[in-house]
Amino acid sequence: MPVLVTPRKIEDATVREFSMLIDGKWGAGADGRTLERVAPGHGVVVSRYQQASAADAERAILAARKAFDDGPWPRMTAAERSGILLKAASLIEERLDEIAYLDAVEAGKPITQVRGEIAGAVDIWRYAAALARDLHGESYNTLGDGTLGVVLREPIGVVSIITPWNFPFLIVGQKLPFALAAGCTCVVKPSELTSGSTLVLGEILIEAGVPAGVVNIVVGTGPEVGAPMTTHPAVDMISFTGSTGVGRLTMANAAQTLKKVSLELGGKNPQIVFPDADLEAFIDAAVFGAWFNAGECCNAGSRLILHRSIADDVVARIAQLSNAVKVGDPLDPTTQVGAIITPQHLEKISGYVSGAAAGGANVAYGGSTIDFGMGQFMTPTILDKVTPDMAVAREEVFGPVLSVLTFETTDEAIRIANAIDYGLSAGVWSRDFDTCLTVGRKVRAGTVWMNTFMDGASELPFGGYRQSGLGRELGRHAVEDYTETKTLNMHIGARTGWWMPR
């Protein structure tokens, strides 16, 4: 069993009240409804949001439209926009502890982990600010003496940004600063489960000098608020992170008006391990990759594809190291695995485990829920003797469940890795660089880690193949994703000899 950290009681905590942000003003929704968030690790209400309706979503969209068409933001110099983004990054840094607390109690994430995520978000905001000043077009003076071509990059317009509950502050940071750097205006809908930190970001952006209407934040459900954000004709682009199922719906909605769509969706990410790997380094990475964020992570290393000769030893060593993992109170700085987001999601995870066991998989470690008397928690769980056809080997469990499969040859390992609908990330472990490079080139995934796992940097693009999404976030082209190109074809001097002879 892992080390259990009993959650502290926070029933005396003050419930944080939040309004929605539309056109630079904080206020209630059109019908006065509210949403309450019960902390998944503590079982008490910690936040109350003003709940947006479809009418509020439209108000936010039209505010963003007006700010783009008539406001100063798209017309500022890149240096001016960059300066505001840099100020926002510094203000985020100043309020790091406040933001971290909100994400910890609303999402059940370990507080130490969240602090690291927010520090990473600060770096992304600063990177986006730098890219704002690097955005440029092209010129072509090679088209003959009579022609000059210029290609402009212009902001695409109004962007709907829809973010999930598992990384509330970090993921909005992978989208919003790049859209702003390009000169776009935005409507942001965080998950209705974890909206607090995004609403604090709204306060920060106003203080940093972002003009009214440039960033609007509404809290509500997908059918009521997310739907108009994906169908409204005043929206030019959608940037969505969430489940593959909702991603398909988002894409179908966007097709009605042919909006540009960027989707970061699910993953079922393999780590392929060869007998010559540095197993001590890998065991640590396997535990981190599987249990980080309680497995509620699209990038989780949830599939181990182990060479058959080392499989039993590796499983035993992962189980042994998992005994030292601390599970429980999200507010304890030593906790490594926090709470599961909702009771319904905990039930879903447990269903995958019981279904796999019924189908012939072996529960080698964990497999049970944890009853602290408050919140919802689950032990890290290792399933071995998993076969590629099992649901737990093919579908995204989104919980602390590790599926172990085995292989004999490199080709077999690659086939197993690719034999699913996802392609977000993968890992390969071998001291032979030829082996790593062969696997890295043949596994169909947006990121392949070699002798490491779940590393990242603002400079490196992130996104997936197949049903893991469309497009890429981060990296030096991230701002360009929020632009359109316009060609100016200019003739120099008088032109004669058109279509009709003279």
Side-chain angles (χ1 to χ4, degrees):
M1 280 287 291
V3 179
L4 302 184
V5 183
T6 302
R8 68 197 69 185
K9 294 183 182 297
I10 59 170
E11 62 264 27
D12 295 330
T14 301
V15 177
R16 182 77 181 263
E17 303 276 355
F18 291 99
S19 300
M20 67 181 71
L21 177 62
I22 298 178
D23 203 15
K25 302 179 183 67
W26 295 97
D31 51 18
R33 290 176 297 161
T34 60
L35 284 168
E36 289 186 338
R37 177 57 178 153
V38 175
H42 302 90
V44 296
V45 175
V46 288
S47 302
R48 186 174 295 114
Y49 321 120
Q50 292 295 321
Q51 182 174 355
S53 63
D56 296 313
E58 182 168 31
R59 283 199 300 128
I61 292 166
L62 295 179
R65 183 79 262 165
K66 186 174 186 299
F68 184 80
D69 292 342
D70 304 324
W73 188 253
R75 295 156 190 87
M76 286 183 179
T77 66
E80 289 171 324
R81 285 198 295 269
S82 178
I84 291 172
L85 296 181
L86 287 171
K87 186 175 181 181
S90 295
L91 291 171
I92 293 168
E93 206 165 36
E94 290 176 12
R95 297 178 70 172
L96 187 149
D97 287 340
E98 174 191 1
I99 297 167
Y101 175 82
L102 284 168
D103 274 5
V105 295
E106 291 186 355
K109 299 162 69 73
I111 187 74
T112 300
Q113 174 191 317
V114 183
R115 288 193 179 109
E117 290 171 14
I118 297 166
V122 169
D123 183 70
I124 295 172
W125 279 84
R126 288 177 174 152
Y127 182 63
L131 290 183
R133 301 189 69 167
D134 187 55
L135 189 65
H136 57 82
E138 305 162 1
S139 63
Y140 294 86
N141 63 340
T142 56
L143 307 177
D145 290 342
T147 302
L148 178 65
V150 175
V151 179
L152 306 181
R153 280 205 173 270
E154 298 183 342
I156 196 168
V158 175
V159 181
S160 286
I161 294 176
I162 301 174
T163 59
W165 47 258
N166 59 330
F167 292 92
F169 197 82
L170 181 61
I171 289 180
V172 75
Q174 293 178 184
K175 302 173 182 292
L176 181 58
F178 298 102
L180 294 177
C184 296
T185 60
C186 303
V187 180
V188 181
K189 191 195 93 64
S191 167
E192 64 272 22
L193 300 177
T194 56
S195 298
S197 61
T198 301
L199 292 163
V200 169
L201 177 61
E203 298 173 3
I204 287 170
L205 294 176
I206 291 172
E207 184 178 353
V210 174
V214 172
V215 176
N216 307 272
I217 304 172
V218 288
V219 178
T221 64
E224 190 169 17
V225 177
M229 288 176 62
T230 60
T231 58
H232 200 287
V235 172
D236 299 293
M237 177 178 172
I238 303 162
S239 180
F240 170 85
T241 295
S243 71
T244 296
V246 179
R248 292 191 195 101
L249 179 61
T250 298
M251 195 171 181
N253 287 348
Q256 298 175 34
T257 49
L258 294 180
K259 304 182 193 306
K260 184 176 182 179
V261 178
S262 174
L263 303 173
E264 197 275 285
L265 307 175
K268 190 69 177 177
N269 313 293
Q271 294 205 63
I272 301 173
V273 188
F274 289 85
D276 67 338
D278 180 344
L279 291 184
E280 184 175 351
F282 165 69
I283 298 301
D284 184 72
V287 170
F288 169 69
W291 314 148
F292 173 73
N293 209 57
E296 295 172 328
C297 177
C298 58
N299 245 356
S302 56
R303 276 195 302 160
L304 295 190
I305 304 176
L306 307 177
H307 192 274
R308 193 163 286 119
S309 65
I310 60 171
D312 290 345
D313 177 53
V314 166
V315 169
R317 291 173 66 176
I318 293 173
Q320 182 180 18
L321 186 56
S322 296
N323 284 330
V325 171
K326 293 186 176 181
V327 180
D329 186 6
L331 294 177
D332 189 306
T334 68
T335 295
Q336 295 160 295
V337 177
I340 303 301
I341 190 71
T342 63
Q344 296 79 9
H345 191 57
L346 178 60
E347 184 178 355
K348 175 185 173 185
I349 296 168
S350 297
Y352 270 107
V353 174
S354 60
N362 174 56
V363 181
Y365 186 85
S368 61
T369 60
I370 302 171
D371 184 6
F372 285 116
M374 64 180 80
Q376 52 270 345
F377 299 85
M378 185 166 184
T379 58
T381 298
I382 303 171
L383 299 171
D384 65 1
K385 303 189 185 333
V386 173
T387 56
D389 60 305
M390 292 181 179
V392 77
R394 305 183 64 84
E395 299 174 13
E396 188 176 38
V397 176
F398 224 62
V401 178
L402 183 60
S403 298
V404 180
L405 302 97
T406 60
F407 72 94
E408 287 284 356
T409 67
T410 301
D411 286 345
E412 183 185 6
I414 293 168
R415 281 197 303 272
I416 294 171
N418 287 337
I420 58 169
D421 294 330
Y422 297 109
L424 188 57
S425 63
V428 55
W429 293 79
S430 172
R431 286 188 170 93
D432 185 340
F433 190 73
D434 286 351
T435 298
C436 289
L437 194 56
T438 297
V439 173
R441 294 183 69 175
K442 291 185 177 181
V443 169
R444 294 182 56 76
T447 298
V448 180
W449 288 286
M450 299 180 183
N451 296 317
T452 185
F453 197 75
M454 222 184 291
D455 280 345
S458 301
E459 293 85 352
L460 298 177
F462 175 68
Y465 285 31
R466 295 180 289 185
Q467 293 191 33
S468 286
L470 299 171
R472 296 292 182 268
E473 296 180 340
L474 304 177
R476 66 187 181 89
H477 298 298
V479 173
E480 294 178 3
D481 287 345
Y482 295 93
T483 66
E484 292 275 23
T485 56
K486 176 185 288 182
T487 297
L488 302 182
N489 191 327
M490 297 173 279
H491 184 71
I492 302 168
R495 179 165 180 171
T496 59
W498 285 80
W499 182 46
M500 294 296 292
R502 302 191 179 194

